[in-house]
Amino acid sequence: VTVLIHHCILYKKAEVEETLKRIQGQKGVQGIIIVNAEGIPIKTTLDNSSTVQYAGLIHQLVMKARSTVRDIDPQNDLTFLRVRSKKNEIMIAPDKDYFLIVIQNPSD
Amino acid sequence: MSTFFSQTNMLLMSVWSCFFGQDEEDGTEMGEGDEWMQGKTLIKPLDQLDLTEAELKEEFTRILTANNPHAPQNIVRYSFKERSYKPISSVDQLAVHFVLEGNLLHQDSDEARRQRAKQGLPEGGEDAGDVEEGGGEERADSVESKVGKKEQKITNQFNFSERASQTLNNPLRERGCQTEPPPRANFSATANQWEIYDVYLEVLQKQEKNKEKAKAVPKKDDDKGRELKTFLLFPPQSDDITKVAKVAKIIERMVNQNTFDDIAQDFKYFEDASDEYREQEGTLLPLWKFQYDKAKRLSVTALCWNESYKDLFAVGLGSYDFTKQGRGMLVFYSLKNSTFPEYIYPTTSGILCLDIHKHLPYLVAVGFYDGCVAVYNLKEETLQPIYKSTAKSGKHTDPVWQVKWQKDDMDNNHNFFSVSSDGRVVSWTLVKNELVFTDIIKLSLAGAVSEGPEGVQLPIMGKTSCGTSFDFHKQIDYLFLVGTEEGKIHKCSKAYSSQFLETYNAHNMAVDAVKWNHFHTKVFISCSSDWTVKIWDHTIKTPMFTFDLNASVGDVAWSPYSSTVFAAVTTDGKVHTFDLSINKYEAICQQPVVAKKKTKLTHIEFNPVYPIIIVGDDRGYVTSLKLSPNLRKKPKEKKGQELPKGPEVEIAKMEKLLSLLREPENSNA
């Protein structure tokens, strides 16, 4: 299902901020990181060292995943990536210029 | 010449002296001077060998050769050609006894001249004397030689001095210049299939843009104004946050999926196993609950599923309470995100009804409490509706209770109908930027028009009945039903604007909802605040079925998958589900779905594909519930036979039921 994006110039920024706040307030969410295309984190709710680590490692993973998907079919593209581990789940949603990482512990 | 001679004399003299010397030795034994004459007498030396006579007479042959006895006879030389040592065949036999280097100089040689020069002129005089004896020629020679001494150097090949000259060599100077090195940058990239594809796409897009520009050049003036506007509205986006909007949405959904994972699993997979033991009854499993903070005081006044995006539904919020009229809200939720709405439109007046266009999922028609109707375009950025009716453009004077989209008219304009308490059924057409209205029918009091027992057939002017609900027939385009506040249902046609085709005395109180059956073309259902739900065949004036639900019924809806299943909600917070093919008299499920008993359920809608229903209440909550298998039963065929699918089955099912009812009626009649 394609997403109909509702843009409103007046409160676009506020809307996004609000969305991020809601995500942060969800049950079990440990942190949110926004990383730009070069792998540099531009916004985060975690501490600096963790952020840098996550950003660097996940950037490579996303590039690889995206490359894989697109190699198989260039008209296809990666929508999101979930990495579920024993302790938590890392959700990554890539965009053309940015990607968003959310770490959640769903059983909390 | 003389010196030579003297020298040889000297030599001879020395030889003779030697010889004499020897004789003098021997002479000791002989007398002096006598040695010549006397013969030799042999004297044996003391160490002489003693030999016998025979040995003495023995002849020893001695050969005289010219060979040098001292010359070696076996000189060997290494021959490089044969790579071995080879004896030299002939050895030099020359024995040199005496060597004496001469010291005579030719008088004309250089050395002689130098010596003469050292000795001075007297030598030259002697020479001159000799020369005189020699002759005049010699004199000439000496004179010449004298002259020759005062030199000039004679150039000959032995007395050559080299003379060289060199041209001026220009001094070499080195000149260099260096240009600035071309700017370099390191470039690295991977060439994947998709990167190549991307580049091709970009080129394609550019080409298309160029084509468009070429076309758009004559239309420049029109567009310029618009372009300017759009530029003003789109300031360059700030670096970070705004671009993340889309991904933030995706992430929010993912997080919600995790948080409500069990609900999502239930929604997809849970089938109540206990239904097998329950015979006919079924249950409703509560799934997500949708609520919006700012809508807490409003009640849900309308629900509508989106036909294209089956997880999206619209909620209209407002208030049924006459005294508490204020603002309203149009809110869209997706099942994928139950915590926050997808779209929010605040409105000045409470919403009472809404409808989403079947084919254009972004067009929403809304009816307000203040009588206006509006059309929202979800694709637009603004919060305002794209069309809104005003007092000039024929808005209703009373609350609009129901709106419904119709098929596009002949000019391909979208249009929808609305019914209101002011007794008008109006058709609105979206023509370019305007909303054009057409009165379709005016609902007049039934008693005034149709078969009035008084016989006075004058239509009572000014008194119009209030339409509270309507529904259009699924197949027959012009046919529609209108429910009124008096409890009557009118069957109308779009063609006839003053007369009804039929009127049914349905209820004692206002008809809250009237709905055609999805499958059977003759059947419709109606519900009212008089606690009843009635099912009708539109050809028969009395209801087929009547159900009493013990509480005011807010809404009723047919299920999209079966012609005999429908659900109704009441103000006591219960959902009643009926399946006529299973139980004709009772509900197969009566379940309270809200926690607090005081909440009234206002609306209900079935999802077109998924086995869930959404129920709205007067606190602004929307609850989604999953229908258990018993509620979704399809008719069981005998084993071995295929289950026929499709609407025909449903129609047949309903028909069967109806025929059962009709027969006794016919028989009675």
Side-chain angles (χ1 to χ4, degrees), chain B residues 562-574:
Chain B
S562 168
S563 63
T564 52
V565 177
F566 65 93
V569 284
T570 56
T571 48
D572 60 356
K574 283 193 190 166

Side-chain angles (χ1 to χ4, degrees), chain B residues 467-484:
Chain B
T468 50
S469 59
F470 70 172
D471 194 20
F472 288 83
H473 199 276
K474 310 282 180 222
Q475 273 95 27
I476 304 168
D477 204 29
Y478 58 83
L479 193 64
F480 64 98
L481 296 164
V482 181
T484 62

Side-chain angles (χ1 to χ4, degrees), chain B residues 586-624:
Chain B
E586 276 183 341
I588 52 173
C589 171
Q590 281 181 352
Q591 188 172 327
V593 293
V594 277
K596 291 187 183 178
K597 278 206 169 174
K598 281 186 186 170
T599 36
K600 302 172 191 172
L601 297 177
T602 50
H603 280 277
I604 184 170
E605 284 289 338
F606 280 82
N607 184 301
V609 283
Y610 304 118
I612 61 172
I613 51 171
I614 43 170
V615 178
D617 63 19
D618 68 344
R619 283 185 187 271
Y621 292 149
V622 176
T623 317
S624 59

Side-chain angles (χ1 to χ4, degrees), chain B residues 169-397:
Chain B
N169 284 338
N170 289 324
L172 289 174
R173 211 174 277 177
E174 201 166 305
R175 257 260 162 95
C177 78
Q178 193 177 24
T179 55
E180 217 171 272
R184 283 187 207 181
N186 269 338
F187 175 78
S188 69
T190 48
N192 280 331
Q193 196 174 356
W194 52 270
E195 294 217 8
I196 298 168
Y197 173 82
D198 277 346
V199 171
Y200 271 109
L201 266 187
E202 265 181 53
V203 170
L204 209 95
Q205 276 175 8
K206 272 184 193 171
Q207 280 180 353
E208 276 172 18
K209 267 186 191 173
N210 288 337
K211 276 186 197 171
E212 277 177 24
K213 273 184 188 173
K215 280 185 194 172
V217 162
K219 292 183 192 172
K220 244 188 187 177
D221 292 306
D222 279 332
D223 291 341
K224 254 190 185 175
R226 273 192 219 163
E227 273 176 28
L228 281 172
K229 278 187 194 169
T230 52
F231 269 118
L232 284 172
L233 290 173
F234 281 93
Q237 289 174 349
S238 61
D239 181 37
D240 35 355
I241 289 296
T242 48
K243 287 186 188 174
V244 194
K246 190 179 168 189
V247 273
K249 238 192 165 98
I250 295 175
I251 278 273
E252 194 185 357
R253 288 186 175 188
M254 289 166 77
V255 170
N256 272 312
Q257 193 181 357
N258 272 349
T259 317
F260 299 109
D261 183 48
D262 42 356
I263 296 178
Q265 300 285 341
D266 283 345
F267 160 74
K268 195 82 187 184
Y269 302 116
F270 179 76
E271 302 291 350
D272 200 344
S274 59
D275 264 12
E276 286 175 32
Y277 307 108
R278 251 184 253 155
E279 284 206 15
Q280 291 173 346
E281 285 178 3
T283 51
L284 298 167
L285 179 73
L287 297 174
W288 299 283
K289 239 191 158 186
F290 301 88
Q291 63 187 85
Y292 183 42
D293 280 347
K294 294 182 186 170
K296 264 191 180 161
R297 287 191 203 146
L298 301 166
S299 39
V300 173
T301 52
L303 289 173
C304 185
W305 284 99
N306 192 312
E307 296 285 323
S308 318
Y309 298 100
K310 310 232 166 66
D311 60 304
L312 190 66
F313 63 91
V315 180
L317 295 154
S319 175
Y320 284 120
D321 197 340
F322 178 68
T323 49
K324 284 184 192 170
Q325 282 306 315
R327 57 190 182 86
M329 229 178 240
L330 176 62
V331 169
F332 283 80
Y333 282 101
S334 164
L335 294 178
K336 296 176 185 173
N337 183 353
S338 58
T339 52
F340 198 76
E342 302 288 316
Y343 302 93
I344 307 165
Y345 296 94
T347 58
T348 44
S349 153
I351 294 176
L352 281 183
C353 56
L354 61 89
D355 191 31
I356 302 177
H357 200 287
K358 275 215 171 82
H359 303 293
L360 303 168
Y362 53 89
L363 276 184
V364 183
V366 174
F368 293 99
Y369 198 91
D370 62 1
C372 288
V373 291
V375 177
Y376 284 88
N377 185 335
L378 295 180
K379 280 191 190 169
E380 292 285 318
E381 313 248 338
T382 60
L383 292 177
Q384 297 304 315
I386 51 172
Y387 300 100
K388 196 165 183 188
S389 70
T390 58
K392 280 187 196 171
S393 61
K395 79 175 185 85
H396 291 279
T397 48

Side-chain angles (χ1 to χ4, degrees), chain B residues 91 99 116 208 216 277 338 405 423 505 552:
Chain B
V91 181
V99 175
R116 254 186 256 145
E208 276 172 18
Y277 307 108
S338 58
W405 283 103
N505 290 324
S552 176

Side-chain angles (χ1 to χ4, degrees), chain A residues 1-9 11-13 15-20 22-23 26-27 29 34 42-43 63 66-75 79-82 84 89 91-95 97-102 104 106, chain B residues 192-195 197-198 201 233-235 237-261 292 309 311-312 336-337 339-345 361-362 378-383:
Chain A
V1 175
T2 55
V3 176
L4 294 173
I5 297 173
H6 181 88
H7 287 294
C8 178
I9 293 85
Y11 58 70
K12 194 171 176 181
K13 190 164 182 175
E15 207 179 74
V16 176
E17 295 273 6
E18 222 185 301
T19 310
L20 294 173
R22 267 184 276 130
I23 297 172
Q26 280 277 0
K27 189 180 75 166
V29 171
I34 305 180
I42 55 174
K43 192 173 188 220
M63 289 299 132
R66 192 186 234 160
S67 184
T68 308
V69 168
R70 296 208 72 196
D71 256 349
I72 294 168
D73 177 7
Q75 290 178 330
T79 319
F80 64 80
L81 194 63
R82 277 181 192 265
R84 196 159 220 165
E89 180 165 348
M91 288 168 278
I92 307 141
D95 188 35
D97 302 315
Y98 296 90
F99 58 94
L100 204 64
I101 305 167
V102 172
Q104 185 188 25
Chain B
N192 280 331
Q193 196 174 356
W194 52 270
E195 294 217 8
Y197 173 82
D198 277 346
L201 266 187
L233 290 173
F234 281 93
Q237 289 174 349
S238 61
D239 181 37
D240 35 355
I241 289 296
T242 48
K243 287 186 188 174
V244 194
K246 190 179 168 189
V247 273
K249 238 192 165 98
I250 295 175
I251 278 273
E252 194 185 357
R253 288 186 175 188
M254 289 166 77
V255 170
N256 272 312
Q257 193 181 357
N258 272 349
T259 317
F260 299 109
D261 183 48
Y292 183 42
Y309 298 100
D311 60 304
L312 190 66
K336 296 176 185 173
N337 183 353
T339 52
F340 198 76
E342 302 288 316
Y343 302 93
I344 307 165
Y345 296 94
Y362 53 89
L378 295 180
K379 280 191 190 169
E380 292 285 318
E381 313 248 338
T382 60
L383 292 177

